[in-house]
Amino acid sequence: MSKLGNLGARLHRGEVGYDFVGNRKLWYGLSILITITAIVGLAVRGLNMGIEFQGGAVFNTPKTSVSVSQAQEYAEEASGHDAIVQKLGDGDEATLRIQVAGIDTQQANKVSAELAEKLGVEESDVTGELVGPSWGEQIANKAWQGLGIFLVLVVIYLAIAFEWRMALAAFVALIHDITITVGIYALVGFEVTPGTVIGLLTILGYSLYDTVVVFDSLKEQTKDITKQTRWTYSDIANRSINSTLVRSVNTTVVALLPVAGLLFIGGGFLGAGMLNDISLSLFVGLAAGAYSSIFIATPLVADLKEREPQMKALKKRVLAKRAQSAAQGESPDAPAGDEPLDDESEDATPAVVGPRNQPAARNRGRGRPSGKRR
């Protein structure tokens, strides 16, 4: 077995582990700091909305040897606005796609004429297309509606399948992931396009998946929790996180690798800028979702759950029993093994594991009369 597989098995059995729930104040503080940074970046810098959301014009040039930086400089001088230039093709056979946001029809005609002059081509060869902001607004409105419906349905489902505390914790984790992703977009300055919106909606499913995996384990391990005095709810919540930790890390890494390829190789080295729109939101959202499912959602459930009178009483009994064990010279810590929650009798007969060796059973009945008359 590999080292990672061995670690995962030991985490699942409870032989090793990290106290995620016990250090929850640290994770809460870190998340608050990151969230505040994202909100400040969003308020100060704002989002770099794409042409689909603020309107503008898209120009396509014929084959040219002009570089992307040169064409961008020409377009910005002609329009007075920021321009985005993409190169389509290789070498002298390449064409250029130039986006200029925030210009109307008259400005678009002027920009088209100046671009043709500076690129050394006929004005009729430079084709232009106006993009109105209404289309982008419709996409944004539909996205907000979809997001709202998604969150409502998620809260209702989790409240029915688990309980309202888990639904609330999952909701907080989703808002946490969205806020961080949008804030990173503001800080980095990447253009927000319909692809960004698609990526933002996609990460919600990944974030929720990791959270539900931990919640399902927690639900199974807390059945009849009040009938024992060995574990508190926080103890079991921490065991649930550790038992699913390797699985969460593996699924996140596997999901992040292709997205990182799109972002860093496709968008960075190959210069396919349009890939940045969706890949950045996916990359940040997947990472934030994995973080929130481990460090935010489950510790928050433990906090909410231990406010119940039953859980408070259980915690007192568990701590009292541990103090008594410590006074008697026994280990006050809860055993690390994956033991049942119900208290076991000390005189209970140990279960037989594996094949039984009972030679007498195999010889049973030999030498006895069969009851048949010969």
Side-chain angles (χ1 to χ4, degrees):
M1 183 182 293
S2 65
K3 291 183 178 180
L4 184 60
N6 185 38
L7 176 62
R10 296 182 65 193
L11 285 169
H12 183 75
R13 292 193 298 265
E15 296 175 2
V16 295
Y18 180 77
D19 193 3
F20 293 99
V21 178
N23 295 316
R24 57 187 176 273
K25 292 183 179 179
L26 173 63
W27 315 128
Y28 292 165
L30 182 61
S31 292
I32 291 173
L33 179 62
I34 297 175
T35 303
I36 290 176
T37 304
I39 294 174
V40 170
L42 184 61
V44 174
R45 299 196 57 177
L47 292 173
N48 180 21
M49 306 302 292
I51 191 174
E52 295 86 357
F53 293 100
Q54 55 180 331
V58 179
F59 303 97
N60 293 291
T61 70
K63 299 175 182 178
T64 179
S65 59
V66 176
S67 66
V68 171
S69 58
Q70 264 187 313
Q72 183 177 0
E73 183 180 350
Y74 294 157
E76 290 177 352
E77 288 178 357
S79 63
H81 294 77
D82 291 336
I84 298 176
V85 181
Q86 291 176 308
K87 190 174 183 179
L88 308 176
D90 298 320
D92 295 337
E93 300 294 319
T95 61
L96 298 176
R97 185 175 186 270
I98 305 172
Q99 295 184 41
V100 182
I103 62 176
D104 54 21
T105 303
Q106 293 182 351
Q107 290 175 313
N109 293 333
K110 176 187 174 184
V111 172
S112 178
E114 293 190 20
L115 282 175
E117 180 183 352
K118 293 181 178 180
L119 294 176
V121 297
E122 295 293 332
E123 184 176 350
S124 59
D125 292 335
V126 179
T127 59
E129 179 184 357
L130 285 175
V131 178
S134 59
W135 184 69
E137 290 177 1
Q138 291 177 2
I139 292 178
N141 292 333
K142 294 295 183 181
W144 283 115
Q145 292 175 9
L147 177 61
I149 294 172
F150 172 81
L151 292 177
V152 171
L153 293 178
V154 163
V155 170
I156 293 174
Y157 170 76
L158 292 180
I160 295 174
F162 298 100
E163 59 171 298
W164 68 266
R165 295 168 187 82
M166 291 185 177
L168 178 60
F171 177 79
V172 171
L174 288 174
I175 298 300
H176 168 273
D177 300 340
I178 294 172
T179 304
I180 291 178
T181 305
V182 175
I184 292 296
Y185 254 88
L187 293 173
V188 174
F190 276 20
E191 187 180 32
V192 177
T193 66
T196 305
V197 178
I198 295 172
L200 192 63
L201 295 177
T202 303
I203 65 173
L204 300 179
Y206 282 98
S207 174
L208 194 62
Y209 171 78
D210 283 338
T211 302
V212 170
V213 167
V214 182
F215 283 178
D216 185 63
S217 174
L218 179 58
K219 179 183 177 181
E220 290 297 322
Q221 295 191 52
T222 53
K223 289 181 179 179
D224 300 326
I225 184 177
T226 56
K227 296 181 180 180
Q228 52 83 47
T229 56
R230 179 169 296 177
W231 313 99
T232 65
Y233 192 91
S234 292
D235 293 334
I236 300 177
N238 196 65
R239 287 162 58 89
S240 298
I241 298 174
N242 280 282
S243 64
T244 58
L245 182 61
V246 172
R247 176 179 178 178
S248 297
V249 171
N250 285 339
T251 54
T252 302
V253 170
V254 170
L256 281 176
L257 286 176
V259 177
L262 289 175
L263 179 61
F264 299 109
I265 299 177
F269 295 108
L270 301 181
M274 295 185 69
L275 294 177
N276 291 334
D277 305 339
I278 188 171
S279 58
L280 179 64
S281 60
L282 287 175
F283 187 84
V284 176
L286 289 173
Y291 170 83
S292 64
S293 65
I294 297 173
F295 297 97
I296 302 298
T298 307
L300 184 57
V301 170
D303 269 339
L304 295 173
K305 193 71 176 178
E306 291 202 334
R307 296 175 184 269
E308 293 183 357
Q310 288 184 338
M311 295 301 111
K312 289 181 178 179
L314 173 63
K315 186 174 183 179
K316 288 181 180 180
R317 295 199 303 270
V318 172
L319 295 179
K321 183 175 180 180
R322 291 178 183 176
Q324 181 182 4
S325 299
Q328 295 175 355
E330 301 176 5
S331 175
D333 297 329
D338 190 10
E339 301 182 18
L341 294 178
D342 296 337
D343 287 338
E344 298 178 356
S345 174
E346 293 180 358
D347 298 331
T349 303
V352 177
V353 181
R356 298 181 179 180
N357 185 15
Q358 296 178 337
R362 291 195 298 269
N363 298 325
R364 185 176 298 168
R366 295 184 179 180
R368 298 179 182 177
S370 63
K372 294 183 179 180
R373 299 180 179 269
R374 296 184 181 271

